[in-house]
């Protein structure tokens, strides 16, 4: 499946996690659009936006990282855009901190309810996240 991998990319740790997850998903046979591989410091914000939108359009589904005290705003926009396009959305969260008020919506309900599949994976390492994402994608029809 062609996947757009959405998630924060503003720290070295976030970029490293994204790269490692992308590599693991590629080893499992998926094609992955990872925004940080296409965004270069020489591009304008308009060019970065256009590239990321093109990546979502290219993809058959979106996999999005919901880690953090509040999911990354850009990731949330990407999920909303994908939802509006009728694309399957797999959300994952490895963060063990609780942020939601309800058991069924541990973070923003607009995200949890728009997801085709939601994976709550506290303390999971990159390989486990990739395995769980691949299993979720295997049952999604596009």
């Amino acid at each position: 499946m062609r996947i757009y991998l959405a998630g924060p990319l503003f720290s070295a740790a976030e970029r490293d996690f994204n790269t490692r997850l992308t590599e693991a998903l590629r080893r499992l046979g998926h094609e992955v659009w990872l925004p940080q591989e296409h965004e270069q410091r020489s591009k304008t914000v308009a060019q970065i936006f256009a590239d990321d939108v093109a990546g979502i359009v290219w993809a058959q589904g979106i996999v999005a990282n919901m880690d953090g005290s509040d999911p990354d705003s850009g990731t949330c926009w990407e999920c909303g855009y994908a939802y509006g396009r009728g694309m399957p959305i797999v959300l994952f969260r490895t963060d063990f901190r609780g942020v939601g008020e309800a058991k069924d919506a541990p973070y923003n309900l607009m995200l949890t309810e728009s997801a085709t599949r939601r994976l709550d994976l506290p303390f999971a390492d990159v390989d486990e996240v990739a395995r769980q994402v691949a299993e979720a994608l295997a049952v999604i029809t596009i």
Side-chain angles (χ1 to χ4, degrees):
M1 179 182 270
R2 291 189 316 268
I3 301 165
Y4 182 95
L5 182 59
L9 48 70
F10 302 102
S11 71
E14 291 167 341
R15 289 186 303 277
D16 181 60
F17 180 88
N18 296 342
T19 297
R20 292 173 51 218
L21 180 56
T22 295
E23 291 168 353
L25 289 168
R26 286 175 177 158
R27 282 192 303 272
L28 292 169
H30 298 283
E31 295 179 70
V32 182
W33 175 282
L34 179 61
Q36 71 196 44
E37 292 178 340
H38 300 274
E39 295 171 5
Q40 299 180 10
R41 296 180 195 275
S42 62
K43 291 184 178 179
T44 67
V45 293
Q47 290 168 321
I48 293 169
F49 176 80
D51 285 351
D52 288 353
V53 169
I56 295 169
V57 170
W58 165 87
Q60 296 169 299
I62 189 165
V63 173
N65 183 335
M66 295 288 110
D67 286 347
S69 57
D70 193 39
D72 173 69
S73 58
T75 301
C76 294
W77 185 91
E78 292 161 334
C79 288
Y81 185 70
Y83 181 81
R85 294 182 55 81
M87 298 170 69
I89 302 167
V90 174
L91 304 178
F92 70 88
R93 183 174 173 82
T94 65
D95 202 327
F96 63 87
R97 298 173 287 183
V99 296
E101 296 179 12
K103 178 182 175 240
D104 293 332
Y107 40 91
N108 189 294
L109 69 87
M110 299 304 283
L111 292 161
T112 61
E113 295 306 301
S114 65
T116 307
R117 186 79 190 274
R118 193 180 89 216
L119 305 171
D120 297 312
L121 307 169
F123 301 105
D125 64 17
V126 172
D127 291 329
E128 179 63 14
V129 172
R131 189 183 70 72
Q132 294 274 345
V133 165
E135 286 181 12
L137 292 171
V139 298
I140 293 174
T141 57
I142 51 174

